[in-house]
Amino acid sequence: MTTVQDIAVMVEKLAPKHLCEDWDNVGLLVGERNMAVTGVLTTLDVTPEVVAEAEAKGCNMIVSHHPVIFKGMKQITDETTLGRLMIQLISKKIAVYSAHTNLDIANGGLNDLAAAQIGLANVKGLETVHQTGFCKIITFVPATHRDAVMQAMGDAGAGKIGNYSHCAFYTEGTGTFKPLEGANPYIGKVGQAATVKEDRIEAIVPKNLVNSVIAAMKDAHPYEVPAYEVHQLVTPSEEATIGRIGELADTLDTEGFIELIKACFPRGRARFGGAKPDAVTKVALCTGSGAEFIKKAAKMGAQAYVTGDVKYHDMQMAKELGILVADVGHFGTEIGAAQLLAAHIGIQMQEQEVTDVPVVVSDVHEDFFFA
């Protein structure tokens, strides 16, 4: 049986929750974590039409990019659009999980997808939004349970280094202890000193995941009171960035760049403004509403910037900065999230040999701008 929580874990392997901005609202927003999933529908937004589509296709879980609940709700009634939507979801027992700015920021997430659509090379982050320090967790476990404890710690986020996960180090040794009155030892007897062949496990962990990794370690550990240590590391640190900047394979003039963007984002309602450079070789982008990074893009040497929701005075500023801005619309830059999420969940299911839960992309969700 595949549960809502199982799907949540799959999504978080691509877009860890800790990457989201402080003002955001991500994760399981509607539903029961232990509910069995009959099907998953991915979408940009959760609308009444999308909910009806999910029900018609036998999907009792929706995974969206935009949070269905963004600001705090004080009441759920049929007197508001959002209240009616909540009632519709709850009454039909459809869960909703949302991955928003964490999906934008994540490596392999929505910003990287947009960079790939444009065909950028040598892609780097545009703006640093998080810098996470690391700790090292050390624990001691009987050799018979070493693999299970290492697996549990890795599943909780320990040992992720670059494109590798579950990285750890272990050494063999001998542990000694004496269970006292009231103890319930896994090995040994109360009142008698015990000597046990143990392995020492070491793994680095992002500081924000230390507590969850310790909890996972304890759950998998056979000892009544596991011994462990936590050491704060000076290095390494991990940067998370929003937006991307990279290089085109060929230099384009303004008209050539405009045609490229129209072809790359066919569902966007593209507008162009700012400056008209003779040559575009370096391009920056931020999916969604990213006008706030126009200055940063220009400072980093981009001749063009791609985003959505650009205002008149943003374009005026872009012209003064000498940078071409492509406003492809919020929908146009982010509709790829639905396909991205579906592809990722599908791969995770293949790896876990889940064959009885279909994953489908919404085909009813459309841009709220229609002309």
Side-chain angles (χ1 to χ4, degrees), residues 7-341:
I7 302 299
V9 170
M10 293 178 189
V11 175
E12 287 165 21
K13 286 185 177 180
L14 170 63
K17 288 173 63 177
H18 71 269
L19 291 180
C20 77
E21 298 274 35
D22 293 340
W23 48 263
D24 205 359
N25 188 32
V26 304
L28 181 62
L29 305 185
V30 181
E32 305 171 18
R33 289 192 180 275
N34 295 324
M35 182 177 71
V37 177
T38 59
V40 179
L41 179 78
T42 61
T43 183
L44 176 59
D45 293 293
V46 182
T47 65
E49 293 80 8
V50 169
V51 176
E53 178 188 22
E55 184 182 27
K57 292 181 177 178
C59 299
N60 65 345
M61 184 172 184
I62 296 172
V63 178
S64 70
H65 179 47
H66 290 152
V68 66
I69 302 172
F70 194 66
K71 297 180 180 179
M73 295 182 67
K74 293 185 178 180
Q75 59 188 27
I76 299 176
T77 71
D78 63 356
E79 297 173 344
T80 65
T81 301
L82 181 56
R84 289 191 292 273
L85 185 61
M86 290 297 103
I87 293 170
Q88 185 182 11
L89 289 164
I90 293 169
S91 64
K92 296 180 183 299
K93 298 203 73 172
I94 296 176
V96 178
Y97 185 99
S98 299
H100 191 209
T101 52
N102 49 327
L103 184 64
D104 293 323
I105 292 166
N107 290 330
L110 197 51
N111 281 189
D112 284 326
L113 175 64
Q117 286 176 255
I118 298 171
L120 300 183
N122 301 320
V123 177
K124 299 178 181 178
L126 185 64
E127 178 82 3
T128 299
V129 289
H130 301 296
Q131 192 162 14
T132 304
F134 282 82
C135 294
K136 178 187 283 186
I137 294 180
I138 302 171
T139 189
F140 307 85
V141 61
T144 54
H145 288 73
R146 179 194 66 223
D147 292 344
V149 171
M150 290 174 65
Q151 182 69 39
M153 293 173 67
D155 289 348
K160 190 174 189 307
I161 303 175
N163 292 324
Y164 297 85
S165 68
H166 295 75
C167 300
F169 178 81
Y170 73 86
T171 52
E172 298 177 353
T174 303
T176 63
F177 54 87
K178 181 179 179 179
L180 302 178
E181 197 67 37
N184 182 27
Y186 172 75
I187 296 174
K189 296 181 180 180
V190 173
Q192 297 180 12
T195 300
V196 184
K197 294 295 182 182
E198 291 183 331
D199 289 340
R200 170 189 170 113
I201 300 172
E202 305 178 33
I204 66 168
V205 183
K207 289 175 67 175
N208 57 293
L209 295 180
V210 165
N211 289 337
S212 59
V213 170
I214 290 173
M217 178 269 292
K218 288 181 175 180
D219 285 343
H221 206 294
Y223 286 174
E224 184 179 19
V225 184
Y228 65 92
E229 306 169 12
V230 180
H231 301 273
Q232 184 168 332
L233 304 179
V234 176
T235 56
S237 63
E238 183 180 75
E239 285 190 347
T241 57
I242 194 163
R244 300 291 186 265
I245 185 167
E247 300 168 356
L248 293 172
D250 299 308
T251 301
L252 300 175
D253 59 14
T254 294
E255 291 305 316
F257 181 75
I258 288 173
E259 293 306 312
L260 172 68
I261 295 304
K262 287 180 178 179
C264 292
F265 300 93
R267 299 188 69 182
R269 299 180 183 278
R271 302 182 303 160
F272 300 87
K276 295 181 179 180
D278 294 330
V280 178
T281 59
K282 186 176 286 189
V283 179
L285 64 93
C286 181
T287 55
S289 300
E292 63 191 283
F293 302 122
I294 292 174
K295 283 185 179 179
K296 185 60 181 278
K299 185 177 180 181
M300 292 184 70
Q303 295 92 26
Y305 180 62
V306 182
T307 190
D309 297 343
V310 180
K311 296 180 180 179
Y312 177 86
H313 291 294
D314 296 325
M315 288 297 194
Q316 180 184 19
M317 177 183 66
K319 184 175 182 180
E320 294 168 355
L321 292 170
I323 188 171
L324 168 64
V325 173
D327 180 351
V328 191
H330 203 118
F331 180 90
T333 60
E334 295 196 331
I335 186 58
Q339 189 66 56
L340 175 65
L341 287 164

